[in-house]
Amino acid sequence: MRNPNTRLTRTLARTALVLTSATAVVLGMTACGGTGTESADGKTVTVYSADGVGEWYKTQFDKFQEKTGIAVNLVEAGSGEVVNRVEKEQSNPQADVLVTLPPFMQKADKSGLLEPSGIDTSAVADSDKDRDGKYVMLAGNYLCFIANPSVNVAGMTWDDLLKPEYKGKIQYSTPGQAGDGTAVLILLQQLYGKQGALDYLAELQANNVGPSSSTGKLQAKVDKGEILIANGDIQMNMANIKEKGSKFTVFFPADADGRASTVPVPYLMGLTKGAPHRAEAVQLMEFLLSGEAQEALLGSFAVPARQELRGVMSSGGVTNPAVLLQNVEIIYPDWAQVLADLDADLAAYQQATGQ
């Protein structure tokens, strides 16, 4: 198996990764006012956001209006669609705040759709925010794997997944169809290089059940023992364990030297260029990064962006997902390069694996 040491060192760069809705079919735009369409004095702020943390939004927007008198209009859709809408509306901007996932936030920045907000982001790690102040992590999430309780995952490595005993018992969502599956491909590229990742995944085909356009559907299969190991993300998997009582273990495969690693799949927040309610937007962004609002993210099984909350073991009976990241190395790909190469990389993946 290839030694990833030099790749790990070289790739501890900045920014983030594709997540589930990044490659999903774009949903129709739906607008839902977080606290109504307008406050009593007419003050509003409009948020265009990738979907996924709607319940947290609703609670926080209600609190924000109570505190400031400013109502929040929320428009949720796919990660790419919200960026496309901001771009189409540049002659008459409607959105004040944009929340989306990589690579779409980077695309928005490159397209000139963002401007520095000037908000205090000192509580957020440098690796989780743009150096020019264009965007910052709002809520964290990370690629992981899950295993049936019959599998001992202690110290499990990528090489272990190739063992004959797992023939027909492993399945991962397909890169290019599912965001978490795309994350698997990109993590392996960071560990082994592009050709090494293709070689590994071609070898893994002997154990892989076959393609899957949905990461979420793999959870029930692992829980029932139909398969033993699958990919996922910690927010989705932990929510499934709590809400549905699924019995599977969240883990992170290690390299040959025993180092477990993952890549982030975060929600990123930025101020749109020409925001019609700039002052109100800045107030909302500061509020959403406050300690109180960030701690409430734990109820949605997302990782708070604020560093001091990463060590909070639990809140409101919910275990902090960041606890799972202890002793796990987070690799931050060079997202600009990942974005530039993604189409070609997916084509190479399909050729190498036949999926």
Side-chain angles (χ1 to χ4, degrees):
M1 180 55 104
R2 300 145 292 277
N3 191 321
N5 292 3
T6 56
R7 288 281 172 183
L8 276 170
T9 301
R10 186 172 64 82
T11 57
L12 291 177
R14 298 178 55 257
T15 200
L17 207 292
V18 174
L19 110 81
T20 301
S21 61
T23 53
V25 176
V26 172
L27 301 176
M29 298 299 291
T30 58
C32 51
T35 54
T37 58
E38 191 172 284
S39 62
D41 57 5
K43 290 185 178 181
T44 62
V45 59
T46 298
V47 177
Y48 285 7
S49 178
D51 43 15
V53 288
E55 288 303 312
W56 177 75
Y57 273 148
K58 185 180 186 307
T59 301
Q60 299 312 311
F61 292 165
D62 285 345
K63 290 182 178 180
F64 178 71
Q65 182 170 8
E66 183 180 351
K67 179 179 180 180
T68 66
I70 301 170
V72 182
N73 295 325
L74 173 64
V75 177
E76 290 183 293
S79 302
E81 178 61 17
V82 289
V83 174
N84 291 340
R85 182 163 173 171
V86 170
E87 188 166 23
K88 290 176 183 177
E89 295 172 350
Q90 273 300 281
S91 61
N92 182 28
Q94 301 297 308
D96 299 297
V97 177
L98 176 65
V99 180
T100 192
L101 314 171
F104 299 103
M105 186 61 88
Q106 288 81 2
K107 178 183 177 183
D109 183 24
K110 186 176 181 180
S111 300
L113 304 180
L114 305 174
E115 61 182 56
S117 65
I119 64 173
D120 181 7
T121 62
S122 59
V124 181
D126 289 343
S127 56
D128 293 329
K129 59 190 176 187
D130 175 53
R131 68 179 67 182
D132 296 320
K134 298 287 190 65
Y135 53 85
V136 61
M137 180 194 287
L138 176 63
N141 195 13
Y142 298 84
L143 173 71
C144 67
F145 280 72
I146 57 175
N148 184 271
S150 65
V151 178
N152 180 8
V153 299
M156 179 167 279
T157 68
W158 291 100
D159 282 348
D160 289 332
L161 301 184
L162 302 175
K163 291 180 178 179
E165 65 197 73
Y166 294 119
K167 183 175 179 62
K169 293 296 183 180
I170 291 177
Q171 191 170 19
Y172 64 94
S173 52
T174 306
Q177 296 184 33
D180 290 321
T182 307
V184 171
L185 173 62
I186 296 176
L187 174 58
L188 288 168
Q189 288 178 337
Q190 306 307 306
L191 295 174
Y192 302 128
K194 290 191 176 184
Q195 188 58 51
L198 294 177
D199 292 344
Y200 177 86
L201 290 170
E203 194 173 353
L204 185 63
Q205 281 300 98
N207 292 344
N208 186 25
V209 171
S212 173
S213 60
S214 170
T215 310
K217 290 182 179 179
L218 301 181
Q219 297 178 110
K221 297 174 73 172
V222 174
D223 183 43
K224 296 175 183 177
E226 295 175 17
I227 58 176
L228 296 180
I229 296 172
N231 69 312
D233 65 67
I234 60 175
Q235 190 272 336
M236 174 181 65
N237 294 148
M238 290 186 70
N240 192 273
I241 290 170
K242 182 175 178 61
E243 295 167 6
K244 297 187 177 181
S246 295
K247 294 178 174 59
F248 46 65
T249 305
V250 173
F251 76 103
F252 303 86
D255 62 23
D257 295 323
R259 293 178 301 185
S261 58
T262 186
V263 285
V265 286
Y267 290 82
L268 303 172
M269 175 176 65
L271 179 70
T272 61
K273 182 180 180 181
H277 308 99
R278 191 185 195 283
E280 291 83 358
V282 169
Q283 281 185 265
L284 176 63
M285 294 172 71
E286 290 175 337
F287 177 82
L288 293 178
L289 282 181
S290 69
E292 180 182 358
Q294 284 285 301
E295 186 171 354
L297 274 170
L298 297 175
S300 296
F301 300 93
V303 177
R306 297 180 67 93
Q307 293 183 84
E308 79 271 14
L309 292 174
R310 298 295 178 90
V312 175
M313 296 299 290
S314 64
S315 178
V318 177
T319 300
N320 189 338
V323 172
L324 297 174
L325 298 172
Q326 294 178 358
N327 303 316
V328 176
E329 185 156 25
I330 301 172
I331 300 177
Y332 297 89
D334 178 351
W335 190 251
Q337 191 62 51
V338 170
L339 180 60
D341 296 348
L342 189 58
D343 287 345
D345 288 346
L346 291 174
Y349 165 79
Q350 292 167 1
Q351 183 175 4
T353 63
Q355 289 200 159

